[in-house]
Amino acid sequence: MCVPCPRSMEDGTVLEKLEGELQEATQNQQTLKQNFLELTELKHLLKKTQDFFETETNLPDDFFNEDTSGLLELRSTPAAVAAKLGFTAGVIKRERMVPFERLLWRACRGNIYLRYTEMDTALEDPITKEQMKKNVFIIFYQGEQLNQKIKKICDGFRATVYTCPESAAERREMADGVNARIEDLNAVITQTESHRLRLLREAAVNVWTWGIKVKKIKAIYHILNCCNIDVTQQCVIAEIWFPMADSGRIKRALQQGMERSGSTISPILTAVQSKMAPPTFNRTNKFTAGFQNIVDAYGVGSYREMNPAPYTIITFPFLFAVMFGDCGHGAVMLGFALWMVTNEKTLLAQKSNNEIWNTFFGGRYLILLMGIFSIYTGFIYNDCFSKSFNIFGSSWHTRPMFRNNTWNPHVLEENQVLQLDPAVPGVYSGNPYPFGIDPIWNIASNKLTFLNSYKMKMSVVMGITQMVFGVTLSLFNHIYFKKTINIVLQFIPEMIFILCLFGYLVFMVIFKWCHFDVHVSQKAPSILIHFINMFLFNYNDPTNGPLYPHQEEVQSFLVIFALIAVPWMLLFKPFILRANHRKAQRMLQTPAISENPAGDIEVEIIDSNHAKKAGQEDHSGGHGGHDDHDEEFNFGDTFVHQAIHTIEYCLGCISNTASYLRLWALSLAHAQLSEVLWTMVMNIGLKNSGWGGLIGVFIIFAIFAVLTVAILLVMEGLSAFLHALRLHWVEFQNKFYVGTGYKFSPFCFKSIIDGTAED
C-alpha cells in the first residue's frame, strides 16, 4: 500500500463544509420532527378534549367563562359567581400516568378533577427514534394556588401542557389549523430528509478512502513520535530493527523519500551495537506460513535460535499420517486441499469472517501434505476404507497343499478359520510383499495381533529417532552461541543417556526383526523383558534367552555409562559456572582494567544472514548461564535449576518414549473405526441383490459417506492433528527449542488497516 501525501488531507475545508451542512440538516430535521410531534400531540389533545366535553352532556354551554388569567368563572348559580374554575390539558408518557395521578391527588388533597385517556397511535421521539406511548389528560381545579402546584407537578413529570379553548367552535377551528400545519410540516420534513440523504451519499463515496488515509497518517505520526530529534533540530533519529537482507531496499526507499519530499539532507543508515535481544524474524511464504504458525503458537524463538519449522514441514504431516494412514481417507483430504489451493485467489477475495473456515484455509498446504502422507502410509498399511489392495499378488498360497489333499475345496468351504504356517514349504513363498503389508492379513483372524506388534515397535523406533534428532539440533544452538560448557556438560551426557538406553532399545527391535525368521521365531526372546532385566542386571532368566553373544557385558556397560551421565549433567556445570564467576570478579577488581561506557543507540539491525553475538541469552535449555559478571551469582539457584533440568530430561526420555505410543494407539483406533463403519453400514447394502439392492446401495452409500466425513475425516483427523501437535511441542521441541523471544513486527499498512498489527 502506498503512503498518503500529507497534502492529501489538507482539503479539510471540504470536510468542514460537508460536516456543517450535515449538522445543519440534522438539526433542522430534529426541530421539524419536534414541531411535528407537538402538533400531533395537540391534535390528539383537541380531539380527546372534544370527546370529553361531548360526553359530559349534563353541563350547560355557558358552564365555563374564561378570564384573562386563564381561569374559568362558574356562572351556574349566584353563589358561584365569585368562584373561579380553571382547567389544564396536556400529554404525558403512559408509564408516568399512575404516579402522576397519585401525586396530584396527594399534593392537591383531592381538590381536583382529573380525566385522562390513551392515545391511539404511538409517537416517535425525534432524537432517540424510539416509539412512545402517551396519554391525554385534563385537570379541573379552583384557585391560583392549585394552578401553581399543578404546573410544578407537570414540569416534574415532563408532561407537555397545551392551551386548549373552552368552546367547541374554537377547538374545531384550532384543530383545522393544526391539521393544515401538520401537512405543511410533512412536506418540509420530506424535503429535509432528501437533502440529508444526498449529503450522506456524497460523504459515503469518500468515507472509506478518508478512513484509510486517517489510519495511515495516524500510524506515520505515531512512528515519528517514537523518533528522537537531532540537536540541530533539522532531522530525526530513528532506532529500528530491520533484516539485513532488506538493507538495500530500505536505503533505496529512504533515498526515494528524500527526493519526493524535496529534502536536501541525505538519510544516514548506521549500524550500532546493542545489548538488547533483537526480535526474531522468520521469512515465510504462503506454503511455509502455516508450519511457522504452529511453531510460533508454542513460543517465538529467540534471535538466531534454531527454528523447528523447516523440520516440521516433513515430520508433522508424516506423524499425522502414521495415525491417520488410509488411502481412501487421505485421497478425500487431498482432494479438499487441492480445491482450496487451486481456488485460493477466489477464496481470498471473498474475505470470509468464519473463524473455522479461515483456520482450514490458512492451513491448506498443511492439509495438502497430510493428505499426501496419509495416502503413502495407507499403502504401507495396505488399508483403503478398511479394505486391502492386492497389487503384486500375495506371497501366501496353498497350491502344493491341494496336491497332498490336505486342503481341498470342501475343507476351504467348511472351515472359516484356517492357519497358514509360514514355516511349511509351499504355503509361504519366502519373499515379502514388495511394498507394505501383504493383503492376506486383511482376512486373517490374528490380524490385530500382528498389527499391534508391528505398529507398537514402529512407534517406538520413530519416536526415539525424532527425540535423538531434537537433542542433536541443540548442538547447533550451543555452537552458534559459543556455549562450550553446554556442549561438554549438557549435550554430550544427554546423548550418552538417551543412546545408551533408548537407542539400544531401537537396536534390539531392529536386530530381532533381522535375526529371527519364521523357523526360529518361536524361540525369539521378549525385548521388553530384556529391557527390564537390563536395569536390574538380571541375566539368569531361563524363560528369556539372550539375543546375541556377550549381551550381558554390552548391556552392563551401557547402563553404567548412562548412570554416569546423570551426575555429569547435574554436578559439574554449577561448580564450573561458580568458578568462572569468581575468576571474572577477581579480574574486575584489578585496577589495570577499566571499561568505557557504551554509546547511545541509533540504529539496531536484525541480521538475518550473518551472526550477531551481542546481548544474547543462554539458549541451551539450561538456566545456569551468566554472561554479565557484574550480576550477583547465586549458586543455590543455579544448582536447583540444573537439577530440575537433569530430572526433567531423564524422566522425559522415559515419558516421551511412552508418549509416542499414541502413534500406535490412534492408528489402530482409526483402522478399527473404518472397519466397523464398513461392516455395519456399507456391507449391508452390498449383501442385497436385485433392483431393491441397487436402490439400497445408493441410500446406504450416502449414509456411509456422511459418517465417513463426519467421524473418520473430521473427528479422527482433528484428533490425529492434536496428537501430532503435542508430539512436536512436548516431545520434540523441548529438546532444543526454548521459544522465549519476541516476534519481529514490521511497520505495515496492510496489517494496520486490517487490525492485525501487534503492539
Side-chain angles (χ1 to χ4, degrees):
M1 293 186 177
C2 60
V3 179
C5 179
R7 297 184 181 89
S8 63
M9 295 301 293
E10 291 180 358
D11 53 352
T13 55
V14 178
L15 291 174
E16 292 178 359
K17 180 181 178 182
L18 184 61
E19 181 188 12
E21 292 180 359
L22 185 59
Q23 288 181 348
E24 183 180 358
T26 303
Q27 185 65 34
N28 292 338
Q29 185 185 34
Q30 292 180 356
T31 304
L32 292 173
K33 286 190 174 182
Q34 182 66 33
N35 295 336
F36 179 80
L37 175 65
E38 294 175 356
L39 290 175
T40 305
E41 290 179 349
L42 181 57
K43 173 185 175 182
H44 287 278
L45 182 139
L46 293 173
K47 181 178 181 302
K48 297 298 182 181
T49 306
Q50 181 66 24
D51 295 340
F52 167 73
F53 283 113
E54 289 179 355
T55 54
E56 299 294 335
T57 55
N58 57 338
L59 294 177
D61 293 338
D62 56 350
F63 184 77
F64 297 107
N65 184 22
E66 186 176 4
D67 61 1
T68 57
S69 63
L71 300 178
L72 300 180
E73 183 179 357
L74 187 62
R75 293 184 177 180
S76 297
T77 60
V81 172
K84 296 180 180 179
L85 188 64
F87 73 93
T88 300
V91 178
I92 190 174
K93 288 186 177 181
R94 189 169 300 174
E95 61 269 14
R96 299 175 182 172
M97 190 65 224
V98 175
F100 177 68
E101 181 182 8
R102 188 175 303 167
L103 184 58
L104 280 173
W105 181 263
R106 291 181 179 179
C108 300
R109 299 182 180 180
N111 295 320
I112 60 168
Y113 180 63
L114 173 66
R115 292 294 304 272
Y116 66 90
T117 182
E118 297 179 355
M119 295 177 61
D120 301 333
T121 58
L123 303 178
E124 180 182 313
D125 189 279
I127 299 176
T128 61
K129 308 296 182 183
E130 294 180 357
Q131 297 294 323
M132 302 179 296
K133 295 181 179 180
K134 293 190 174 184
N135 289 355
V136 176
F137 65 88
I138 183 170
I139 306 171
F140 294 95
Y141 58 88
Q142 186 178 15
E144 181 63 24
Q145 187 176 3
L146 289 179
N147 183 24
Q148 296 298 326
K149 287 184 178 181
I150 292 172
K151 286 183 179 180
K152 291 181 180 180
I153 294 174
C154 290
D155 292 339
F157 281 88
R158 296 181 182 177
T160 307
V161 178
Y162 295 96
T163 301
C164 181
E166 94 285 354
S167 64
E170 292 178 354
R171 286 194 296 270
R172 282 192 291 269
E173 182 180 357
M174 188 174 183
D176 294 338
V178 168
N179 290 331
R181 291 175 61 188
I182 288 176
E183 292 179 359
D184 296 338
L185 271 178
N186 278 327
V188 176
I189 289 174
T190 303
Q191 294 178 0
T192 305
E193 182 67 23
S194 300
H195 176 63
R196 184 170 174 270
L197 289 176
R198 284 195 301 270
L199 294 175
L200 290 174
R201 290 192 187 100
E202 182 181 350
V205 175
N206 300 318
V207 67
W208 185 81
T209 306
W210 291 337
I212 297 297
K213 289 181 180 180
V214 169
K215 289 182 179 179
K216 286 183 177 181
I217 294 183
K218 181 181 177 182
I220 293 172
Y221 277 100
H222 173 70
I223 296 298
L224 291 176
N225 289 333
C226 297
C227 300
N228 298 324
I229 304 297
D230 186 66
V231 291
T232 60
Q233 301 293 325
Q234 294 181 354
C235 62
V236 295
I237 301 175
E239 303 173 2
I240 64 171
W241 301 103
F242 68 91
M244 282 295 296
D246 297 335
S247 58
R249 294 174 52 197
I250 294 174
K251 290 179 181 178
R252 290 192 297 270
L254 291 174
Q255 188 67 25
Q256 186 179 9
M258 182 199 71
E259 295 173 356
R260 290 187 176 181
S261 62
S263 175
T264 58
I265 302 177
S266 299
I268 301 174
L269 191 64
T270 306
V272 297
Q273 296 295 330
S274 172
K275 290 188 177 181
M276 295 177 58
T280 301
F281 174 58
N282 297 306
R283 200 180 299 274
T284 60
N285 52 34
K286 62 182 180 181
F287 177 78
T288 59
F291 299 95
Q292 188 64 55
N293 290 335
I294 290 177
V295 175
D296 291 342
Y298 172 82
V300 179
S302 301
Y303 180 65
R304 284 304 198 176
E305 185 181 10
M306 183 66 67
N307 184 17
Y311 316 105
T312 305
I313 294 175
I314 297 300
T315 58
F316 189 92
F318 178 72
L319 292 184
F320 170 86
V322 170
M323 296 178 280
F324 195 77
D326 190 289
C327 295
H329 301 153
V332 175
M333 183 178 293
L334 178 62
F336 175 64
L338 286 175
W339 174 78
M340 289 191 293
V341 170
T342 54
N343 298 280
E344 62 181 9
K345 292 184 178 180
T346 305
L347 297 174
L348 277 173
Q350 295 178 359
K351 294 183 179 180
S352 174
N353 294 325
N354 191 315
E355 186 176 356
I356 297 177
W357 163 252
N358 290 335
T359 302
F360 278 106
F361 183 72
R364 57 193 179 278
Y365 290 99
L366 175 61
I367 298 175
L368 179 69
L369 289 185
M370 291 193 302
I372 293 174
F373 277 88
S374 296
I375 295 175
Y376 169 75
T377 54
F379 278 111
I380 293 291
Y381 298 153
N382 206 348
D383 196 0
C384 180
F385 296 111
S386 77
K387 297 292 137 182
S388 297
F389 295 114
N390 190 5
I391 301 175
F392 304 102
S394 176
S395 297
W396 300 79
H397 52 79
T398 59
R399 292 177 183 174
M401 306 300 294
F402 287 125
R403 298 174 184 174
N404 299 331
N405 294 325
T406 303
W407 284 357
N408 51 44
H410 178 71
V411 174
L412 294 175
E413 292 177 0
E414 295 295 331
N415 294 275
Q416 296 185 4
V417 180
L418 294 175
Q419 183 176 3
L420 296 175
D421 190 355
V424 176
V427 177
Y428 180 63
S429 64
N431 298 320
Y433 194 68
F435 186 82
I437 296 177
D438 197 299
I440 196 68
W441 285 106
N442 194 50
I443 60 173
S445 60
N446 60 338
K447 170 187 175 182
L448 191 59
T449 304
F450 166 72
L451 291 180
N452 264 331
S453 176
Y454 166 72
K455 293 184 177 180
M456 179 181 67
K457 295 175 182 177
M458 175 197 66
S459 302
V460 172
V461 171
M462 289 191 298
I464 295 175
T465 303
Q466 190 180 28
M467 288 193 296
V468 172
F469 177 65
V471 177
T472 305
L473 290 178
S474 67
L475 175 63
F476 296 95
N477 281 332
H478 303 328
I479 294 175
Y480 175 78
F481 296 115
K482 294 184 178 181
K483 301 293 183 179
T484 308
I485 187 174
N486 289 339
I487 299 176
V488 178
L489 302 180
Q490 188 164 309
F491 169 74
I492 294 178
E494 285 178 354
M495 288 296 293
I496 291 174
F497 183 84
I498 194 171
L499 289 178
C500 288
L501 299 181
F502 301 97
Y504 178 70
L505 177 62
V506 174
F507 164 76
M508 287 195 296
V509 170
I510 298 176
F511 181 84
K512 183 178 179 180
W513 281 344
C514 299
H515 184 70
F516 293 92
D517 57 9
V518 294
H519 301 286
V520 294
S521 60
Q522 299 295 330
K523 300 179 182 180
S526 172
I527 295 178
L528 182 60
I529 300 299
H530 269 302
F531 196 61
I532 295 174
N533 291 335
M534 176 179 172
F535 292 96
L536 301 176
F537 294 95
N538 181 16
Y539 301 103
N540 298 320
D541 191 351
T543 62
N544 204 50
L547 281 170
Y548 55 89
H550 305 289
Q551 182 179 356
E552 178 179 352
E553 292 81 0
V554 173
Q555 291 186 169
S556 300
F557 173 78
L558 293 177
V559 172
I560 294 173
F561 214 46
L563 293 177
I564 292 174
V566 176
W568 190 348
M569 279 187 288
L570 175 63
L571 300 177
F572 292 103
K573 185 177 178 180
F575 288 100
I576 293 177
L577 289 175
R578 184 176 66 175
N580 292 339
H581 180 76
R582 289 179 176 177
K583 181 180 179 181
Q585 290 293 330
R586 288 194 297 269
M587 294 176 63
L588 290 174
Q589 292 174 1
T590 58
I593 300 177
S594 61
E595 293 184 357
N596 295 325
D600 295 335
I601 299 172
E602 291 185 0
V603 181
E604 296 161 359
I605 298 175
I606 298 177
D607 185 351
S608 59
N609 298 319
H610 305 284
K612 182 176 180 181
K613 307 298 191 300
Q616 298 302 322
E617 297 178 355
D618 185 1
H619 301 275
S620 62
H623 303 274
H626 292 268
D627 292 329
D628 291 326
H629 301 293
D630 295 335
E631 296 181 1
E632 182 180 356
F633 182 81
N634 193 321
F635 177 78
D637 291 347
T638 304
F639 189 86
V640 169
H641 291 160
Q642 189 64 25
I644 293 173
H645 171 74
T646 304
I647 296 172
E648 182 181 10
Y649 177 80
C650 296
L651 295 181
C653 288
I654 302 173
S655 62
N656 293 346
T657 303
S659 182
Y660 275 97
L661 293 177
R662 69 186 68 237
L663 299 174
W664 156 50
L666 266 75
S667 176
L668 287 175
H670 185 81
Q672 291 301 308
L673 280 174
S674 180
E675 186 174 352
V676 168
L677 190 61
W678 178 275
T679 304
M680 301 299 293
V681 179
M682 196 65 189
N683 199 31
I684 298 175
L686 296 176
K687 286 182 178 180
N688 299 323
S689 59
W691 289 101
L694 182 62
I695 298 174
V697 166
F698 282 97
I699 300 175
I700 294 297
F701 178 76
I703 300 174
F704 173 78
V706 171
L707 293 177
T708 298
V709 173
I711 298 176
L712 295 179
L713 284 176
V714 178
M715 294 180 60
E716 279 288 306
L718 182 60
S719 175
F721 178 88
L722 294 176
H723 283 284
L725 192 65
R726 182 240 153 78
L727 289 177
H728 279 78
W729 281 358
V730 180
E731 278 70 30
F732 173 58
Q733 291 181 186
N734 71 344
K735 300 295 186 299
F736 67 98
Y737 187 66
V738 181
T740 56
Y742 62 101
K743 195 173 183 180
F744 174 63
S745 300
F747 182 83
C748 178
F749 282 129
K750 183 178 184 302
S751 58
I752 292 173
I753 294 171
D754 295 340
T756 58
E758 299 182 5
D759 294 337

